[in-house]
Amino acid sequence: MRGRAPLAAALALALVGSATAQADPNALWTIVHDRCVIDVRQWHDPAPCSRVDLSRGEAGGYAVLKDIVGDRQYLLIPTARIAGMESPQILNPDTTNYFGAAWQARSFVEQRAGGTIARDWISLAINSAVARTQNQLHIHIDCLRTDVHDALRSVAGAIGPTWAPLPIPLLGHTYWAMAVGGADLDANPFTLLADGLEGARADMGLYTLVVVGATDPAGRPGFVILADRADAGTGAGGEELQDHDTCPPPLPASPGTAK
């Protein structure tokens, strides 16, 4: 028998997510560092995480964990100790592109949704330091709210390759937006924010980032990146643009695809 904590205790710890984090701001770090990494090293089993990638070592690795909130929401969490948006490590050019890895991890959301979800419904979000409840960087992976999806579609033509204010508010907040191309998220949103918005590099902890899949009018895949800054009236929590309750129906299977 494996030298693990009792299964019930492990599962309880695995279910710690954004909803219960107020009780222990280090809960995500504990489950990833003390459970998932150890288990994958000793037993080649990432449980209670769904995935642990240590191909770049623990300093550059990450875990994917099912959040207790929602049927499909997952979190991508570095296996290195990184607090969040304010951490200097996220702007180191040698640091793993955690957003890129989170986009790949959308497959876990799709598995629970029952099939491929259109890319413009998939979103990645990280809250600002003043809006989060955990002291370990984590990216929320889930579907987009319908009203946010429709709003972004209505102004898609106004989103260009450089940061500019989004023409319409999202849930009462004025976001900055920019578009990047590519099927995969090779660009690093942390760097794009720090280098593209004046003053952002000095106050990264006050910002939230949201990435949404997109397809341009010519059918080419890409992404919309959204940023908001905390002020006296808001904590800049981009996670609010996500829907942790529902996803749209999966895309129809291609002819000849095995069911």
Side-chain angles (χ1 to χ4, degrees):
M1 181 179 293
R2 297 177 177 182
R4 297 183 176 187
L7 179 59
L11 290 176
L13 188 57
L15 290 175
V16 171
S18 55
T20 58
Q22 294 177 2
D24 179 7
N26 295 307
L28 292 181
W29 173 247
T30 299
I31 181 61
V32 168
H33 182 262
D34 294 350
R35 296 297 311 177
C36 300
V37 170
I38 290 175
D39 284 353
V40 83
R41 287 194 184 279
Q42 292 186 351
W43 312 109
H44 307 291
D45 181 357
C49 291
S50 298
R51 173 185 295 167
V52 173
D53 188 320
L54 298 177
S55 59
R56 299 189 63 189
E58 196 167 336
Y62 62 86
V64 180
L65 175 69
K66 176 67 185 71
D67 196 298
I68 191 173
V69 176
D71 290 335
R72 292 159 299 277
Q73 184 189 186
Y74 280 81
L75 305 175
L76 184 130
I77 307 157
T79 52
R81 190 63 156 129
I82 302 176
M85 286 291 295
E86 75 279 18
S87 300
Q89 300 102 302
I90 65 173
L91 298 180
N92 187 318
D94 294 327
T95 296
T96 297
N97 182 350
Y98 295 115
F99 267 104
W103 178 253
Q104 297 300 322
R106 74 191 186 281
S107 59
F108 290 101
V109 175
E110 293 180 322
Q111 287 172 15
R112 284 184 169 254
T116 301
I117 301 296
R119 64 183 293 122
D120 62 343
W121 282 97
I122 296 290
S123 61
L124 318 172
I126 184 170
N127 296 323
S128 69
V130 294
R132 69 174 189 241
T133 54
Q134 284 288 281
N135 291 330
Q136 174 66 10
L137 187 148
H138 56 287
I139 298 173
H140 300 261
I141 311 166
D142 208 347
C143 292
L144 199 64
R145 286 174 53 120
T146 299
D147 53 348
V148 174
H149 171 271
D150 294 347
L152 290 176
R153 174 174 287 184
S154 72
V155 297
I159 303 174
T162 58
W163 290 107
L166 201 65
I168 56 176
L170 299 177
L171 275 65
H173 300 289
T174 301
Y175 280 83
W176 289 72
M178 68 176 295
V180 297
D184 296 321
L185 189 55
D186 297 324
N188 191 325
F190 292 125
T191 304
L192 294 175
L193 172 63
D195 292 343
L197 282 184
E198 184 177 358
R201 181 175 289 269
D203 288 317
M204 287 290 286
L206 295 179
Y207 284 86
T208 183
L209 278 168
V210 180
V211 176
V212 181
T215 303
D216 70 13
R220 294 171 297 197
F223 301 88
V224 171
I225 303 178
L226 304 168
D228 185 25
R229 188 180 190 278
D231 56 29
T234 176
E239 182 194 352
E240 68 179 2
L241 304 186
Q242 296 180 317
D243 189 338
H244 296 324
D245 295 321
T246 60
C247 277
L251 295 173
S254 300
T257 301
K259 294 183 179 179

